Structures are given as C-alpha cells and as structure tokens.
Amino acid sequence: MSYSLTTLWFDRSRYLPGVLAVGFSALLISLQFGLLLGLFSISSLPIDHTDADIWVGAPEVLAVDLGRPIRENFLAKVAANPEIERCEVYLQGFSYWSKPDGGNELCMVIGCRLDKDSLGRIRELTPEMASRLSEPGAIVCDESDLDRLGIKGVGDTAEVAGHRVRVVGLTKGIRSLAGPYVFCSVNTAKPLLRIFPEQITYVLGRCKDPKDAPMVVQRLRDQGGVSAFTANEFSIRSRMHWLTKTKAGIALGYAALLGLMVGAVVTSQTLYAATAASMKEFAVLRAMGIPRWRMATLVMSQAFWVGIIGVGLSIPAVHGLAALAAAAGSEVILPMWLQVGACTVTLVMAVGSGVVALRSLRQVEPAMLLR
Amino acid sequence: MAMSPQKSSLEGRDLRRSFGQGSMRSTALAGVSIDLYPGQFSLMMGPSGSGKSTLLAILSGLLRPDHGTVHSLGQNIWAMSERQAEGFRLRHVGFIFQGYNLFGAFNAVQQLELVGRWGMNMGYWEARKKARNILDMLGLSKKKHLRPAEMSGGEKQRVAIGRALMKEPELLFADEPTSALDWGTGEQVIELLRGAARERGATVLCVAHDSRIIPFADQVIHLEDGQLKGVVYPDGKSGRPDREDERSHSSKSVLPGGEDEGWNKGKLGGRLNRTA
Ligand SMILES: Nc1ncnc2c1ncn2[C@@H]1O[C@H](COP(=O)(O)OP(=O)(O)O)[C@@H](O)[C@H]1O
Ligand SMILES: [Mg+2]
C-alpha cells in the first residue's frame, strides 16, 4: 500500500472531514444538476415521448412550449423533401382552464393526430384514449393533475378558453411544469388555443432514414421562414431555455461553486493540519537531505486519495438520494456526463486543495529539532 | 585508542554564532574549533544553553555560522549553496534527535524503507530488505511491524538510529538521543552509536548529559558558555595539556539525575539571564 494510503487509513478520523467535504461537493453538484435536468425534462416531454425526427415551427422558436402559430401549408413544404417519409400537423400552446367550480388554471394544450402511426401522439395515450379523443371537445389529462384542474376523473367537464371540454381518459406519470398537459385532437385544439383554422404550431416529420434528419433540417433552415430542429436538438434547446430563462441555471452555478469552495476550504485545512502534525518527522527527513518534493508528492497523493474516496462515497449517496427524490415525486436525471463531470470537477478541487496545503511544508525546518 | 588515529573527517574552525537582534542579541557560540575523526565516537557535554546544539547544527550543515569554516569530508560545507549542502547531507549525513520523530502511521520497516526509497531512490523490495537487515542488527527483529505507539522509548530511538543508518552515512549526529531514556536503554543506544563508529568507520558526534557515557567515548568535548572548555580522551590524554582536571570537571558539570527536568529549568533560566 502506498505511503499516502497508509497515512490516510491510520489517521482516518483526521482525514474524514476532508473526505466528507469532497463527497458532499460532488453530491451537491450531481444532485442539483440532476434535479434541474429532471425538472426541465418535463418541458421537453412532448418531444421525448413521441416519434418525430424533425420539428418545424415559427422562426426563432425558443422552446417547444413557446411555439407560435404557423400556416398549415408549411406541411407541404416539409413534405416536399424527398428524405421525408411522412409528416403531420401538431399544435401546442398555453391556454386557460376554467374549473367547474370556478377559478382558472394555466394549462398546456396539445393537439395531435390520433391515428396508429401518429408522430405527435405521446406513448402514454393508449389507442382506446385516442379513439375517444376523436370526438369533438374530448380531452385527456394526467391523473396527477386532477386536483389542480378541479375535477374528479373521466366524464367530468370543464372549460378551456371558453370552450366546453370533457375528460375521456387519464394518463399516468405525465408530470407538468407551468400548467397541466391537456391532450386532444387537432380539431379540438384549435379553438382551445384560439388560433385560426388554417394555422398550426408545428409540422412534425419522419425521415425514411433517421440519419438524414440533420440534412433535411439544414435545408429547411436555408429556405428560411421557419425554424427547424432535429428532435434531439429541440429537446435540449427547450430544456436549456428554461434552465437559463428561469435563472435556475445561474442559481445552480452559484450553489455548485459554493459547494466547491466549502469543500476546498475544508479539504485544504484537513490536509494542512495533517501535514503540520507531521512537521517534525518531515524535518528529520529534510535534515537528512531528502528533497522537499518527496514530501510534496506525499501530500498531493493524499489529496488525490481524499478526492477519490470522497467522490467514491458520493456516487452511491447520489443514487440513493435520487431514488428517494423519485419516490417523493421529483425525478432526478443523472446522465453519465453529469456524473463524470461532477466527479472530475470535485477531484480537481481536492487536488487543488492539496496544492494549497503544500504551504505547510514551507515551515518544515530541520533546525527546529535541536534542543 | 590513539588520539588522532588518522586525518580528521570534520574540522570546525573558529565557529561563532549569535541569535537575536540589538540588545536581545546573545552569543551561543564564541569561536569554537573542533576536529572529529572517522571511526570515533565523540561525546559533547556541557550545561544547558552552552551551545552544544548550535555547534552540532553548524558542524552538520543545518545552521549557518556567523563566522568560521567547517570542512566536512574535505569539503567546505558553508561555502556551498543551499542545494549543494542539501545534496551533501543526503549523501553523507544521518541524524538522531531526542524526540524520535517517527511517523505515527508507519511501522518500523516503513520508517527505514522511506529513507531508502526517498533518499536513495531504492526500489520497494531493495529498501525493505535493507530496512529489515538494519532492524535485525539493531535487535529489533520482533518489532519490525510495530508502529511507534506500540514501542517503548528505547525501541523507538533504535528505530530512529536505524533510519539514520539506512543511508550508511559517513557522518552521524545525535542531539541528546538518550535524554528521554533511562540509563539501561540509553546505554544500549550509546552502544549502537559507538558501534556505528567502530564497525562502519562513521564519524559520530553525540550530545548527552549523563557522565556514565564518558567511558564509551573516544573523545569528550566540553562546552561552556559557547566556548570550548577542553577535549578529554577517556583513555587519559587531554586535548589541552594546561588543564589537568578535565575529566573530573566534565563529570561535575553534569546535572545529577533527573536530567530532563533539570535541563529544562536550566535552559529557561539561562535564557532569562542572558536576555535580562
Ligand atoms: N533559534 C534560537 N534563537 C534564539 N536563541 C537561540 C536559538 N537557538 C539557541 N539559542 C540560544 O543559544 C544558546 C545556546 O543554545 P543551544 O545550542 O541550544 O544550547 P544547548 O544545546 O547546549 O543547550 C542558548 O542561550 C539558547 O537560548
Ligand atoms: Mg541542546
């Protein structure tokens, strides 16, 4: 076992605060980021839970829920591309839900084709629900939103933008952000969104070969007058928009920075104190001419291992807490890049703390051993 | 034992050193010249505050003198740069101090092995083998895997000697290595240091208080108030023919019993007197 690991294990109670500080920093970053990713993944849910390769909307669309009306004849424009297998209309926008017993609620209306191969129909809408949605004024919402919408279940009625709607089905597990999702047919959606009959929000396209999607998107952009995205691009764009627009990203950045700073201070103090405690032992080695860099290497490798152990402990903790959060209803998304990133940043922090702690070696002076 | 069996390995000439500034300035060493020889165990004695540690530090290359020269193994060590001096110590010098200064986390083998690996660029197995051999030689065969907390003071000091011997230094300096030990264990430590001189031909300089050590020494250097009061050769010859009572004098200057406490009080008192 290396000297650094031997000292860490022997003096474990001394190094523990540093290890915990590192672990806590990594935990804070991963969990915060993961929570926000989870939160904002709700906004891109219509993209992530459908099968379109291409989304085409009004110029400069910022996020999927902020689409503005476009003319229905955009459909032909998209269909004109030879790589496109098929395309269809899709509507999405905010509207007002009037509860049966009074009171308004913001809601997110989604109008999509209901056929079996629909590109805009989310997976959670079963074929039975889809067939019932073909009736005018029929809507489906999520069971978790019933309270918010002031209704009890299937068969209840309410008004959206002054038009009467009737609940014909309930999805499970579709969470909502600003307002509950309300799913319906294209024809039902138009009045609810107060747009003209010849208007829509998006054209969704599917390519014969999904690999062609970026090329088609680029061609549509070059033609101008629209904004076009691959599904993946648009999903990220939507999440990032809310992440930055709501300043949540900035808050997150600060929290992460603060966590790192606290971690760095605790870790460097731990290493500094530990090194200072071995001052006389180091001084003997210095007296015997052993170069200072040997001791610096020991301190740096202690810093590295404190980092590795702290980060190592944080990984199960992050997943445990994420599971706990999921059970409490907030999804935490922990992509690999996030975990690797958080661990790397924290490890760099720990090693940086080691560099700071090296100062204590400067006080090592062989003459201090004489009596 | 002849008084100057061969060419000296260490020559200090007119060494002076003061501490402090202005009115607080005090002279720790006021012009001391001294010769040490390979294969000899030299004992340095004198009251607290007499400048023993200061002289040892200057001779060993740890503390720069205000005046004077030290030729160590033929090299003028205080004409060297800091780096060169460090390299010189690395190649030639070993130290033992009163506090054992062993790493709490490491066992005896590791304490020695560390010097081999860090100081002599030895490989792991090579350093370990050497460490074990030295510990065997020091009578610590059964203590190899104990950490300092599990060892007695004498055992710890023997490990510290082992650490100093790892490099097989030509010069070995020990500042009060026995002061924290009872006579029995202290004697063992002295025997080992003398053995390093006799068997390895090292030049050994040891500061100690106990006059019972005198018979072990090849020469006894007596310091008082920063000045050399005489060099005694326990086989009878004195370094200063004008002083015949050297031997009894040095014996008398030793604080009787309980050296540690007396030494501490003496040192504090000495400082106060000086600065008053
Ligand atoms: N670093 C120092 N700063 C100030 N005074 C010192 C220092 N080292 C030693 N002295 C003084 O120099 C004198 C000699 O000290 P030292 O060589 O340690 O004596 P000894 O080892 O014989 O007890 C003492 O008066 C001591 O107080
Ligand atoms: Mg001293």
Side-chain angles (χ1 to χ4, degrees):
Chain A
M1 203 158 56
S2 76
Y3 294 134
S4 51
L5 282 175
T6 307
T7 51
L8 287 192
W9 178 246
F10 179 77
D11 253 347
R12 47 200 178 274
S13 59
R14 184 191 282 286
Y15 290 99
L16 191 65
V19 169
L20 292 181
V22 168
F24 184 70
S25 293
L27 182 92
L28 203 70
I29 296 173
S30 295
L31 221 50
Q32 289 228 359
F33 237 109
L35 264 171
L36 277 187
L37 285 181
L39 192 61
F40 291 115
S41 71
I42 297 171
S43 72
S44 62
L45 184 142
I47 307 171
D48 304 333
H49 288 213
T50 55
D51 294 326
D53 297 326
I54 290 172
W55 287 66
V56 181
E60 289 161 38
V61 165
L62 296 170
V64 64
D65 41 6
L66 297 177
R68 280 170 284 114
I70 54 174
R71 300 178 64 84
E72 195 161 354
N73 60 15
F74 271 74
L75 190 65
K77 239 185 185 173
V78 176
N81 290 280
E83 296 86 355
I84 293 291
E85 185 183 279
R86 62 200 155 89
C87 55
E88 63 184 48
V89 300
Y90 177 91
L91 292 89
Q92 177 171 353
F94 286 106
S95 191
Y96 285 97
W97 175 281
S98 306
K99 299 178 193 174
D101 51 359
N104 284 325
E105 183 75 32
L106 197 65
C107 67
M108 170 63 66
V109 174
I110 289 179
C112 59
R113 296 274 303 263
L114 299 167
D115 45 293
K116 196 169 134 280
D117 305 321
S118 165
L119 299 176
R121 200 189 83 204
I122 61 159
R123 289 170 209 136
E124 287 80 355
L125 283 182
T126 59
E128 299 82 66
M129 287 182 203
S131 70
R132 271 177 262 145
L133 280 178
S134 56
E135 299 162 30
I139 61 124
V140 164
C141 61
D142 195 77
E143 57 178 17
S144 65
D145 285 325
L146 287 175
D147 277 350
R148 216 165 147 190
L149 295 172
I151 51 175
K152 299 229 162 34
V154 175
D156 281 7
T157 57
E159 280 185 4
V160 175
H163 298 273
R164 191 176 177 76
V165 295
R166 188 168 38 84
V167 181
V168 298
L170 295 173
T171 57
K172 276 198 181 97
I174 304 266
R175 295 176 308 141
S176 52
L177 209 54
Y181 281 113
V182 171
F183 301 96
C184 57
S185 67
V186 170
N187 288 334
T188 304
K190 285 184 179 180
L192 302 188
L193 289 171
R194 297 172 196 254
I195 60 177
F196 296 115
E198 70 276 13
Q199 285 183 321
I200 55 171
T201 325
Y202 295 102
V203 175
L204 310 188
R206 190 183 174 89
C207 296
K208 290 166 191 146
D209 182 352
K211 285 205 260 330
D212 290 334
M215 193 178 72
V216 177
V217 161
Q218 192 53 49
R219 193 180 304 140
L220 288 165
R221 280 182 196 159
D222 291 344
Q223 287 165 5
V226 294
S227 53
F229 308 95
T230 63
N232 194 30
E233 276 172 2
F234 201 30
S235 173
I236 293 170
R237 183 183 175 89
S238 301
R239 295 179 198 194
M240 290 315 288
H241 172 76
W242 288 112
L243 198 67
T244 49
K245 177 68 179 285
T246 56
K247 308 273 192 295
I250 296 172
L252 173 83
Y254 272 117
L257 202 67
L258 202 69
L260 279 177
M261 270 162 56
V262 171
V265 168
V266 175
T267 310
S268 62
Q269 280 302 313
T270 302
L271 291 167
Y272 190 98
T275 309
S278 295
M279 200 86 97
K280 290 198 159 177
E281 290 85 295
F282 286 135
V284 176
L285 299 182
R286 291 287 297 140
M288 295 207 271
I290 290 171
R292 209 181 284 269
W293 69 262
R294 291 284 190 178
M295 295 150 220
T297 308
L298 177 69
V299 175
M300 289 312 294
S301 115
Q302 286 171 338
F304 175 76
W305 284 113
V306 163
I308 290 284
I309 297 166
V311 161
L313 288 179
S314 80
I315 293 170
V318 164
H319 283 96
L321 287 173
L324 214 67
S330 334
E331 193 189 359
V332 178
I333 296 183
L334 297 168
M336 208 47 179
W337 61 261
L338 170 59
Q339 296 185 63
V340 170
C343 291
T344 307
V345 166
T346 327
L347 201 57
V348 167
M349 179 277 279
V351 171
S353 307
V355 174
V356 174
L358 287 182
R359 277 182 309 134
S360 62
L361 286 179
R362 275 194 226 144
Q363 293 158 24
V364 172
E365 184 43 66
M368 76 199 220
L369 297 165
L370 299 161
R371 316 201 131 216
Chain B
M1 218 144 308
M3 61 175 272
S4 0
Q6 47 190 299
K7 210 173 147 344
S8 64
S9 47
L10 201 132
E11 287 172 27
R13 287 292 170 270
D14 196 18
L15 296 169
R16 302 179 197 185
R17 173 73 198 207
S18 311
F19 291 103
Q21 298 279 313
S23 62
M24 301 290 277
R25 197 164 177 85
S26 71
T27 303
L29 222 51
V32 173
S33 296
I34 192 172
D35 287 305
L36 302 179
Y37 299 92
Q40 285 205 352
F41 174 65
S42 302
L43 181 63
M44 180 154 57
M45 304 190 88
S48 283
S50 56
K52 302 183 296 295
S53 295
T54 306
L55 180 59
L56 180 134
I58 289 173
L59 292 174
S60 62
L62 294 182
L63 185 72
R64 186 174 288 277
D66 297 335
H67 181 272
T69 56
V70 175
H71 279 87
S72 193
L73 305 174
Q75 299 189 57
N76 183 352
I77 58 169
W78 289 114
M80 292 179 186
S81 72
E82 186 103 354
R83 243 203 137 83
Q84 288 171 318
E86 194 177 307
F88 181 86
R89 295 204 307 270
L90 182 60
R91 284 188 300 279
H92 306 295
V93 189
F95 286 93
I96 296 132
F97 301 97
Q98 180 184 339
Y100 321 108
N101 304 312
L102 301 172
F103 287 93
F106 299 153
N107 64 30
V109 175
Q110 287 170 315
Q111 309 279 355
L112 272 62
E113 171 202 308
L114 189 76
V115 173
R117 296 187 67 192
W118 285 8
M120 308 158 74
N121 295 317
M122 281 182 172
Y124 174 78
W125 292 110
E126 188 189 359
R128 260 186 113 69
K129 193 171 159 212
K130 176 149 197 177
R132 286 167 190 278
N133 286 342
I134 291 179
L135 291 171
D136 286 340
M137 188 197 77
L138 296 174
L140 291 167
S141 306
K142 295 202 177 105
K143 312 285 176 179
K144 280 177 196 153
H145 294 288
L146 299 186
R147 295 202 185 95
E150 301 155 329
M151 286 187 265
S152 71
E155 286 161 356
K156 281 188 271 200
Q157 196 58 295
R158 277 188 278 161
V159 172
I161 291 172
R163 176 169 64 181
L165 292 179
M166 250 325 252
K167 296 192 301 168
E168 302 182 10
E170 288 103 316
L171 304 165
L172 201 53
F173 295 92
D175 192 17
E176 305 198 21
T178 57
S179 296
L181 305 175
D182 60 55
W183 169 242
T185 40
E187 190 184 1
Q188 286 181 349
V189 165
I190 294 298
E191 284 278 18
L192 289 170
L193 291 176
R194 189 170 71 156
R198 296 282 156 82
E199 285 144 37
R200 295 161 178 258
T203 305
V204 181
L205 177 64
C206 173
V207 175
H209 279 109
D210 196 323
S211 55
R212 286 176 285 186
I213 298 171
I214 292 172
F216 291 82
D218 296 309
Q219 67 169 343
V220 181
I221 298 149
H222 197 84
L223 227 56
E224 221 173 283
D225 261 345
Q227 286 175 321
L228 193 65
K229 283 292 164 201
V231 180
V232 175
Y233 298 87
D235 60 3
K237 292 181 194 166
S238 169
R240 293 224 174 153
D242 52 309
R243 297 190 59 131
E244 286 150 30
D245 59 339
E246 204 56 68
R247 198 162 179 180
S248 55
H249 179 265
S250 53
S251 306
K252 254 182 264 163
S253 73
V254 169
L255 294 157
E259 288 96 1
D260 275 324
E261 245 183 72
W263 172 79
N264 277 329
K265 278 182 198 151
K267 182 156 190 168
L268 263 182
R271 262 199 190 122
L272 288 175
N273 289 341
R274 219 166 286 268
T275 52

